[in-house]
Amino acid sequence: MYSILYHSIPLHNKVIPIAARIRPLSSALGYDILMSMDIRKKSFAWKAIACSILALIVIGSAAMAVLKQASTDYRDRPTLYDVQIGTTIIPVEIADVPSTMEKGLSGRFHLPSKQGMLFIFPVSDLYAFWMPNMNFPIDLLWISSEKKIVGFEQSMQPEKDLKNPHYYRPSEPVEYVIEVNAGFVKSHHLTVGQEVNIPDISTGHRALF
């Protein structure tokens, strides 16, 4: 997009805005081709060729825009790590610093059905979770320092009353927590006591595309 300049320059006894002289490369190229052909005096074949060239220019510009957006989306994707519980594999994002722990999944509008978020705490404790700024319900897995499931929270709903928040706490100290979409625990038949294979995030990551 070009900024409009509010002054002009003379040209052949006429005054035209500078902005009118600036055209994107694709537009200028197509315009010059058409003018040089003098389409009104050319045959239908020449008109078809000119239209084809313009179409290729438009398609090329659109393709470049799509590729640029795809490249941006790729760079913005978080690194995912595989957590395994029995035969169930959950690609997870990692929350292991205060900023990512505090934010969690809040502000998002969805979570891919097979993915989750793994919270890694420095020590075992009775950590409290609540659901402000959430837009969808989730299940939560409480996991001990021995890497075993010690409990669940299922279908945790977005918090509506911020003045009287509802906090969720484990029944015993935990060192890990996994958040997944609501219904995940039931659909994958997860049970208390199952061992959880927590990846070594320094070496064991696997990005999904």
Side-chain angles (χ1 to χ4, degrees):
M1 179 178 294
Y2 296 100
S3 300
I4 295 177
L5 304 180
Y6 291 98
H7 60 277
S8 305
I9 59 174
L11 181 64
H12 298 301
N13 299 320
K14 293 183 180 180
V15 177
I16 63 171
I18 289 179
R21 293 167 52 84
I22 304 175
R23 298 194 303 275
L25 178 58
S26 60
S27 175
L29 180 59
Y31 178 82
D32 293 339
I33 290 173
L34 289 176
M35 292 302 100
S36 64
M37 286 183 177
D38 193 3
I39 287 179
R40 290 172 296 180
K41 300 180 181 179
K42 300 297 183 180
S43 66
F44 176 80
W46 282 108
K47 294 180 182 180
I49 292 173
C51 291
S52 297
I53 292 174
L54 285 176
L56 289 174
I57 292 172
V58 172
I59 292 172
S61 299
M64 290 298 294
V66 170
L67 289 174
K68 182 178 180 180
Q69 182 61 46
S71 177
T72 300
D73 293 343
Y74 172 80
R75 290 195 302 270
D76 291 341
R77 289 187 179 188
T79 299
L80 300 178
Y81 297 78
D82 282 344
V83 168
Q84 186 167 0
I85 307 174
T87 59
T88 300
I89 296 177
I90 311 171
V92 297
E93 298 176 41
I94 302 297
D96 59 352
V97 296
S99 59
T100 55
M101 289 181 179
E102 181 179 353
K103 183 175 179 60
L105 295 173
S106 64
R108 303 190 187 188
F109 290 97
H110 78 287
L111 175 69
S113 60
K114 296 181 180 180
Q115 293 183 21
M117 176 171 281
L118 170 65
F119 294 77
I120 303 177
F121 296 99
V123 296
S124 295
D125 206 340
L126 298 173
Y127 297 101
F129 278 66
W130 67 311
M131 299 282 286
N133 301 318
M134 285 291 292
N135 296 300
F136 54 92
I138 61 173
D139 287 354
L140 184 149
L141 286 63
W142 303 111
I143 302 169
S144 69
S145 58
E146 288 77 26
K147 300 179 181 179
K148 291 185 178 181
I149 297 176
V150 296
F152 303 107
E153 303 292 344
Q154 299 188 53
S155 295
M156 298 166 61
Q157 299 298 316
E159 184 66 68
K160 301 298 184 183
D161 186 359
L162 299 183
K163 294 182 179 179
N164 299 286
H166 177 72
Y167 293 99
Y168 299 86
R169 292 183 174 86
S171 58
E172 59 183 271
V174 297
E175 192 168 328
Y176 309 95
V177 168
I178 297 177
E179 293 182 345
V180 288
N181 282 295
F184 190 96
V185 170
K186 184 176 181 180
S187 64
H188 288 81
H189 310 290
L190 303 183
T191 59
V192 171
Q194 280 187 289
E195 293 187 359
V196 181
N197 185 4
I198 303 292
D200 179 355
I201 63 174
S202 65
T203 60
H205 71 273
R206 177 172 72 89
L208 299 184
F209 307 106

